């Protein structure tokens, strides 16, 4: 995925330096969404380029936009912007009463990371239309061929470049015809031609001091900061109604809330097929309908953002991943807040559907990566408490197989971001097949949250490190609570449910306890930094822990690591075992403990180099000869043990990464969530 951002100040003087910093800072906040290249477009006061080298005049009266694009992370863009500013002798103190700037950070999908493939993408000479884009245009090849036939020259390998060129084509056609065309009419016509998923922001010198954003699929937020008084919670009606509002203000577009929280708490989540037009300090939202010539104007009240600036800052930590690992006692508490009362689990988002869920023929957990692992960790308790068969689906595989799904099924979609393309496509598929769709997500207003029939937010707080940590443990807690709620009508499991609820209330304290292993995990990481590979064996409740621990190691420490089902060890992986290959065996107390003891014995018999995770006080049981390294963790209810057990592995992955000298928060080739299939 990519990050898009825009800033427009109206009736309030802002120096160019300020505008640049707001845009670049917006990108810093969105950088976790993609960090292959970045770019911005701002207004100039230069008239130098009124003609090109062939003597062609620029086709508009306003000044030309300035576009900066750079390969690499945001800080490379920052350096190149300021060096260009010097070269152009741009006045950073120049005051703008209105200024419209756009910005982009890219996760490369079409074309390698390079300035030419960075956004803003342009309509061509004189930058008549500039666009930043998050998403994928699926019919760009057809559009490109048509535009090439019309004489357009393409410079990038991106799918996005067709958009500004299409805008120019539409604009030129309209201008050559009967006359005026508004910015929103141009964008509406462009939308009519585009297929795929996108959030777009347009800037054009034909429409100075205006910005347009639109979306279909990808998330888009509008932030509003009215200066000099309370922001009115009025509804946005249409351009006319708001043109009357001359109040000084700052307006923002962003791919997510993280980039606006330091400016304002007033925001609106833009819906699919909506076009937001900012002009003369007013905001109008129009609803695009392919069938209709004229768009309907939409009323939308502003929401208040419940997020604090601290959430998006590292504070005293060196990295977001470390901060987020250490935040887990707090995030778990927030996840449970208001949901456990007098031994009863109350999940408001599910109550109207509980009867249907209980009567389901099957519960299907669907997700990708860490979210899939969280569901896998919750599966045993879901089966035990509900008596409903639970199956697992990796979203992409479910779609590849066109797996059978029925209207009697409850499909549980798990996604931290609520934006993952594979998961969202699987959701569409499940909806088409009539299943009841339940969402478990961290992102309020995300597509997953909006398109599922019902759901539960995990409330883990903003997770910025690409490696998911606190969202994982909160997802498990939420799914355990869902299992408790579904199974709450069964007398036979009452004692078990009471024990779990008691366990949940103590959990944050025990997580705090296990976080004290930080130093020990650093020492362990030190002993592993030069290894090529690291295996992890788990089973039952902790099969997911092995998979998730290994995913953390490979994604951030860039070391090969595999999580394996311990029961499968003797069916193949045992051949890998020797005195060199490090193997972590998860053997905390639960029904599988004795089986894990026997696995440990078999590994010892092959001279395996073991690191055993066990419950406090069990070291002598898992390692009678004292030859293996042992990680002791607090023992909790079996279904909550994966939450405790993953924490030392998160810390291990973190320290391995730092010691190996890799980027913890922005691992190579990855982005926070993957909005392409
Ligand atoms: C987690 O560390 C990974 N970055 C990745 O596996 C992630 O969990 C996956 O892409 C799914 O993302 P989602 O939870 O936002 O859907």
């Amino acid at each position: 995925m990519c990050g898009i951002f825009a800033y427009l100040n109206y009736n309030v003087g802002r120096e160019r330096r300020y505008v640049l910093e707001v845009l670049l800072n917006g990108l810093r906040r969105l950088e976790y969404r993609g960090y292959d290249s970045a770019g911005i477009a701002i207004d100039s006061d230069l008239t130098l380029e009124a003609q090109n080298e062939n003597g062609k005049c620029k086709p508009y009266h306003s000044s030309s936009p300035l576009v900066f694009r750079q390969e690499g992370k945001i800080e490379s863009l920052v350096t190149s912007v300021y060096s260009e500013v010097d070269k152009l002798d741009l006045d950073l103190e120049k005051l703008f009463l209105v200024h419209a700037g756009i910005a982009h950070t890219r996760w490369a999908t079409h074309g390698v990371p390079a300035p030419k493939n960075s956004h803003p993408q342009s309509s061509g000479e004189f930058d008549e239309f500039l666009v930043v884009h998050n998403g994928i245009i699926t019919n760009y090849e057809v559009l490109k061929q048509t535009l090439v036939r019309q004489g357009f020259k393409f410079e990038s390998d991106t799918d996005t470049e067709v958009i500004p060129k299409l805008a120019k084509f539409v604009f030129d056609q309209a201008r050559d015809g009967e006359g005026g065309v508004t910015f929103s009419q141009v964008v509406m016509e462009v939308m009519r031609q585009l297929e795929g998923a996108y959030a777009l922001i347009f800037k054009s010198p034909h429409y100075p001091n205006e910005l347009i954003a639109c979306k279909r699929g990808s998330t888009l937020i509008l932030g509003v900061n009215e200066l000099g008084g309370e922001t009115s919670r009025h509804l946005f009606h249409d351009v006319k109604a708001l043109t009357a509002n001359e109040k000084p203000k700052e307006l923002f577009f962003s791919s997510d809330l993280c980039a606006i929280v330091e400016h304002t708490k007033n925001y609106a989540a833009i819906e699919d097929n909506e076009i937001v037009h900012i002009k003369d300090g007013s905001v109008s939202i129009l609803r695009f309908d392919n069938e209709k010539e004229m768009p309907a104007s939409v009323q939308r009240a502003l929401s208040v953002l419940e997020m604090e600036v601290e959430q998006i800052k590292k504070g005293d930590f060196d990295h977001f991943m470390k901060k987020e690992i250490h935040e887990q006692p707090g995030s778990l508490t927030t996840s449970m807040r208001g949901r456990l009362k007098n031994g009863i689990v109350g999940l408001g988002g599910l109550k109207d559907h509980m009867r249907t869920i209980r009567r389901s023929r099957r519960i299907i957990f669907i997700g990708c990566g860490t979210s899939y692992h969280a569901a896998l960790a919750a599966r045993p308790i879901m089966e035990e408490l509900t008596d409903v068969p639970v199956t697992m689906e990796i979203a992409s595989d479910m779609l590849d197989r066109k797996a059978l799904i029925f209207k009697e099924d409850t499909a549980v979609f798990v996604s931290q971001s609520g934006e993952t393309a594979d998961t969202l496509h699987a959701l569409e598929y499940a909806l088409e097949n009539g299943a009841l769709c339940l969402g478990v997500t961290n992102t309020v207003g995300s597509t997953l949250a909006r398109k599922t029939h019902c759901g539960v937010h995990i409330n883990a707080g903003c997770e910025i490190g690409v490696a998911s940590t606190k969202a994982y443990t909160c997802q498990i807690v939420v799914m355990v609570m869902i299992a408790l709620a579904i199974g709450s009508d069964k007398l036979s499991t009452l004692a078990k449910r009471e024990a779990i609820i008691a366990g949940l209330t103590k959990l944050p304290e025990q997580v705090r306890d296990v976080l004290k292993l930080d130093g020990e995990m650093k020492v362990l990481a030190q002993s592993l930094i030069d290894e090529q590979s690291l295996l992890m064996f788990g089973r039952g409740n902790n099969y997911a822990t092995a998979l998730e621990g290994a995913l953390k190691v490979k994604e951030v420490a860039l070391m090969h690591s595999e999580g394996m089902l311990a029961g499968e060890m003797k069916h193949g992986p045992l051949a890998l075992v020797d005195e060199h290959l490090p193997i972590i065996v998860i053997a905390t107390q639960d029904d599988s403990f004795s089986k894990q003891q026997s696995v440990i014995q078999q590994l010892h018999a092959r001279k395996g180099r073991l690191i055993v995770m066990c419950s406090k006080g069990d070291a002598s049981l898992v390692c009678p000869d004292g030859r293996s390294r042992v990680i002791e963790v607090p023992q909790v209810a079996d279904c909550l043990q994966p939450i405790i057990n993953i924490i030392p592995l998160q810390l291990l992955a973190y320290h391995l990464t730092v010691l190996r000298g890799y980027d913890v928060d922005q691992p190579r080739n990855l982005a926070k969530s993957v909005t392409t299939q």
Side-chain angles (χ1 to χ4, degrees):
M1 68 181 170
C2 302
I4 62 175
F5 186 78
Y7 170 63
L8 188 145
N9 57 302
Y10 178 75
N11 254 350
V12 52
R14 295 290 187 227
E15 296 91 12
R16 175 176 280 127
R17 183 191 303 282
Y18 182 90
V19 171
L20 273 176
E21 273 314 304
V22 172
L23 291 172
L24 294 169
N25 215 34
L27 290 185
R28 288 188 183 103
R29 301 285 175 235
L30 297 175
E31 191 170 26
Y32 73 98
R33 301 173 65 93
Y35 31 87
D36 289 326
S37 65
I40 57 170
I42 55 169
D43 291 337
S44 75
D45 41 1
L46 305 174
T47 47
L48 296 174
E49 330 86 282
Q51 285 188 344
N52 68 7
E53 63 268 24
N54 305 321
K56 188 174 164 197
C57 288
K58 88 181 147 103
Y60 47 82
H61 300 298
S62 62
S63 64
S64 308
L66 286 168
V67 183
F68 304 92
R69 286 187 283 242
Q70 184 63 34
E71 185 183 333
K73 297 198 173 181
I74 308 301
E75 292 316 312
S76 318
L77 175 71
V78 174
T79 312
S80 84
V81 165
Y82 283 106
S83 106
E84 276 297 299
V85 162
D86 271 356
K87 268 193 231 153
L88 295 168
D89 206 17
L90 273 187
D91 179 6
L92 286 175
E93 311 312 319
K94 182 181 162 75
L95 204 67
F96 292 85
L97 264 187
V98 191
H99 182 286
I102 59 174
H104 186 269
T105 180
R106 175 168 186 254
W107 183 58
T109 55
H110 294 66
V112 295
K116 68 168 185 172
N117 291 329
S118 309
H119 302 200
Q121 284 287 309
S122 168
S123 55
E125 202 169 33
F126 299 116
D127 293 321
E128 291 176 63
F129 288 88
L130 290 162
V131 170
V132 289
H133 169 209
N134 172 30
I136 295 273
I137 303 303
T138 47
N139 63 337
Y140 79 99
E141 272 162 355
V142 182
L143 293 171
K144 189 169 173 175
Q145 282 161 19
T146 313
L147 289 162
V148 167
R149 279 198 295 276
Q150 296 296 329
F152 283 88
K153 288 196 176 54
F154 280 75
E155 283 153 35
S156 78
D157 310 314
T158 65
D159 53 335
T160 306
E161 195 180 357
V162 295
I163 307 171
K165 292 195 159 56
L166 194 56
K168 175 169 162 48
F169 178 70
V170 170
F171 176 82
D172 287 347
Q173 295 269 305
R175 205 174 43 174
D176 292 348
E178 283 163 16
V181 56
T182 65
F183 203 177
S184 38
Q185 283 168 327
V186 172
V187 172
M188 212 126 42
E189 198 42 48
V190 170
M191 276 185 92
R192 213 180 289 283
Q193 308 302 327
L194 296 182
E195 287 170 17
Y198 53 82
L200 304 169
I201 310 174
F202 291 76
K203 171 176 172 65
S204 167
H206 290 293
Y207 304 98
N209 304 328
E210 296 182 38
L211 282 179
I212 292 217
C214 62
K215 88 159 207 111
R216 196 177 278 158
S218 311
T219 306
L220 180 67
I221 302 292
L222 166 75
V224 179
N225 183 25
E226 287 195 326
L227 301 149
E230 283 278 286
T231 295
S232 43
R233 304 235 163 275
H234 51 58
L235 300 176
F236 292 141
H237 292 279
D238 53 31
V239 180
K240 273 192 206 116
L242 283 153
T243 307
N245 180 353
E246 289 292 313
K247 266 192 188 171
K249 57 176 78 76
E250 298 179 301
L251 298 158
F252 305 84
F253 287 121
S254 174
S255 293
D256 69 39
L257 295 163
C258 293
I260 64 158
V261 60
E262 59 207 279
H263 302 287
T264 180
K265 296 219 163 178
N266 300 305
Y267 78 98
I270 306 308
E271 301 280 341
D272 276 355
N273 291 315
E274 287 181 352
I275 299 172
V276 187
H277 190 173
I278 302 178
K279 185 181 178 188
D280 299 331
S282 63
V283 181
S284 59
I285 303 181
L286 306 168
R287 183 157 189 83
F288 170 82
D289 184 340
N290 222 349
E291 308 294 304
K292 293 185 187 150
E293 194 64 23
M294 292 299 290
S297 115
V298 176
Q299 299 200 346
R300 177 74 37 81
L302 290 177
S303 308
V304 180
L305 178 55
E306 287 178 21
M307 183 193 282
E308 297 306 325
V309 184
E310 287 62 43
Q311 280 195 32
I312 55 160
K313 298 205 166 152
K314 282 187 209 146
D316 294 334
F317 293 92
D318 294 335
H319 301 101
F320 281 110
M321 182 177 177
K322 182 137 197 214
K323 176 181 177 240
E324 287 156 7
I325 292 172
H326 282 270
E327 273 174 351
Q328 290 176 100
S331 58
L332 289 164
T333 306
T334 317
S335 260
M336 292 185 267
R337 183 164 295 139
R339 290 168 167 171
L340 296 175
K341 276 189 208 131
N342 310 321
I344 293 169
V345 177
L347 298 171
L350 299 187
K351 68 176 188 322
D352 294 343
H353 295 84
M354 207 40 101
R355 259 168 69 92
T356 321
I357 299 171
R358 285 190 182 125
R359 286 181 184 174
S360 308
R361 243 185 20 193
R362 173 173 70 150
I363 293 172
I364 315 172
F365 277 130
I366 302 157
C368 306
T370 292
S371 293
Y372 175 85
H373 296 160
L376 189 65
R379 177 197 199 175
I381 195 66
M382 187 65 83
E383 281 177 330
E384 187 180 342
L385 294 185
T386 63
D387 279 344
V388 180
V390 180
T391 60
M392 301 293 309
E393 290 287 356
I394 292 177
S396 60
D397 185 50
M398 176 182 189
L399 292 163
D400 290 346
R401 289 175 13 247
K402 296 198 173 50
L404 292 176
I405 179 160
F406 305 102
K407 62 179 184 336
E408 298 81 7
D409 289 329
T410 293
V412 181
F413 292 86
V414 189
S415 171
Q416 186 283 132
S417 62
E419 280 191 56
T420 302
D422 288 330
T423 309
L424 294 179
H425 280 99
L427 169 60
E428 291 294 335
Y429 177 72
L431 288 168
E432 279 161 22
N433 284 280
L436 175 74
C437 295
L438 189 161
V440 174
T441 182
N442 195 27
T443 314
V444 179
S446 62
T447 309
L448 188 92
R450 285 183 288 108
K451 292 201 169 163
T452 40
H453 297 114
C454 56
V456 186
H457 285 113
I458 65 167
N459 300 337
C462 222
E463 192 181 66
I464 292 172
V466 164
S468 188
T469 51
K470 62 177 182 173
Y472 176 71
T473 48
C474 289
Q475 283 169 336
I476 301 176
V477 150
V478 162
M479 285 184 275
V480 169
M481 289 194 290
I482 295 175
L484 287 165
I486 302 173
S488 63
D489 59 343
K490 291 198 170 48
L491 221 88
S492 55
T493 55
L494 181 64
K496 173 101 191 189
R497 281 185 279 118
E498 283 174 350
I500 297 170
I501 291 174
L504 282 170
T505 53
K506 283 189 263 161
L507 192 61
E509 218 26 70
Q510 283 155 322
V511 168
R512 207 163 272 127
D513 197 16
V514 80
L515 283 167
K516 291 182 190 146
L517 291 172
D518 197 350
E520 204 179 302
M521 290 305 107
K522 188 172 176 183
V523 174
L524 177 60
Q526 190 76 56
S527 71
L528 296 173
I529 41 175
D530 294 325
E531 297 304 332
Q532 299 285 318
S533 186
L534 175 62
L535 297 190
M536 304 201 191
F537 283 122
R539 72 191 318 143
N541 292 297
N542 284 293
Y543 173 38
T545 311
L547 294 180
E548 175 59 10
L551 177 62
K552 288 290 90 88
V553 169
K554 68 183 116 175
E555 84 172 317
V556 286
L558 313 190
M559 180 189 283
H560 171 254
S561 185
E562 288 304 324
M564 295 181 184
L565 196 58
E568 281 289 284
M569 185 194 69
K570 52 195 178 297
H571 301 294
L574 195 55
L576 292 172
V577 177
D578 60 15
E579 61 268 53
H580 305 295
L581 177 69
I583 302 174
I584 297 182
V585 183
I586 301 153
T588 40
Q589 284 291 347
D590 64 11
D591 287 351
S592 318
F593 179 67
S594 58
K595 288 187 191 158
Q596 282 303 72
Q597 272 185 312
S598 123
V599 164
I600 292 168
Q601 275 164 14
Q602 290 171 47
L603 288 168
H604 271 317
R606 310 284 159 185
K607 298 198 176 66
R609 181 179 159 194
L610 303 194
I611 300 148
V612 183
M613 185 185 295
C614 65
S615 303
K616 269 189 187 165
D618 275 2
S620 59
L621 293 178
V622 295
C623 175
D625 58 2
R627 273 193 298 146
S628 316
R629 217 184 178 111
V630 171
I631 306 168
E632 290 190 65
V633 295
Q635 188 185 339
V636 295
D638 56 2
C639 64
L640 304 180
Q641 197 68 50
I643 296 170
I644 295 292
N645 292 0
I646 195 58
I647 289 171
L649 303 180
Q650 293 171 344
L651 290 167
L652 176 66
Y654 169 79
H655 287 299
L656 261 179
T657 313
V658 175
L659 291 168
R660 282 161 67 90
Y662 295 120
D663 191 331
V664 182
D665 288 332
Q666 294 169 350
R668 187 174 70 190
N669 302 339
L670 299 181
K672 184 70 186 156
S673 89
V674 184
T675 50
T676 58
Q677 267 193 295

